[in-house]
Amino acid sequence: MRLWSVAIAPRSFFVMDGHDERGKPSIGDLAKDTTTDRVGVLMGEVAGRYLMRPPAGGCEWEVKPEHIEAPTAREELSARNGVRNRMARLGL
């Protein structure tokens, strides 16, 4: 019998590409904070605000729901490349 091991990336590296019916990103998706023009991963919702974290990991910040939108294709590609670059620097 052969056992396979599967490495699962930490939640801060995990990026999905689904959106809800209104076109707004949902928890776990890449999203853009329009107040700061930063792209991050939606981590959760607390007291009517969303918590976002940089795609490659880091400190979370709070965003009002009306300031969240889906990132452009260029912003999404840049965020994904940032994750790959960080993982390469860490030797993963």
Side-chain angles (χ1 to χ4, degrees), residues 74-87 89:
R74 177 178 283 205
E75 292 165 336
E76 184 174 342
L77 179 61
S78 177
R80 290 179 188 272
N81 282 337
V83 171
R84 286 188 194 104
N85 289 341
R86 177 153 190 222
M87 292 180 79
R89 282 192 302 273

Side-chain angles (χ1 to χ4, degrees), residues 7 10-11 13 19 21 28-29 32-33 37 39 44 48-49 59-63 66 68 72 77-78 80 82-83 90:
R11 182 75 175 153
F13 291 107
H19 300 286
E21 64 279 355
D29 290 342
K32 180 179 178 181
D33 175 359
D37 285 332
V39 174
R49 291 177 176 253
C59 294
E60 292 180 343
W61 73 93
E62 291 183 6
V63 184
E66 60 267 17
I68 291 180
T72 64
L77 179 61
S78 177
R80 290 179 188 272
V83 171
L90 296 174

Side-chain angles (χ1 to χ4, degrees), residues 34-63:
T34 59
T35 58
T36 62
D37 285 332
R38 293 170 62 187
V39 174
V41 179
L42 285 176
M43 301 304 292
E45 183 179 0
V46 176
R49 291 177 176 253
Y50 285 104
L51 297 174
M52 291 181 68
R53 177 173 287 171
C59 294
E60 292 180 343
W61 73 93
E62 291 183 6
V63 184

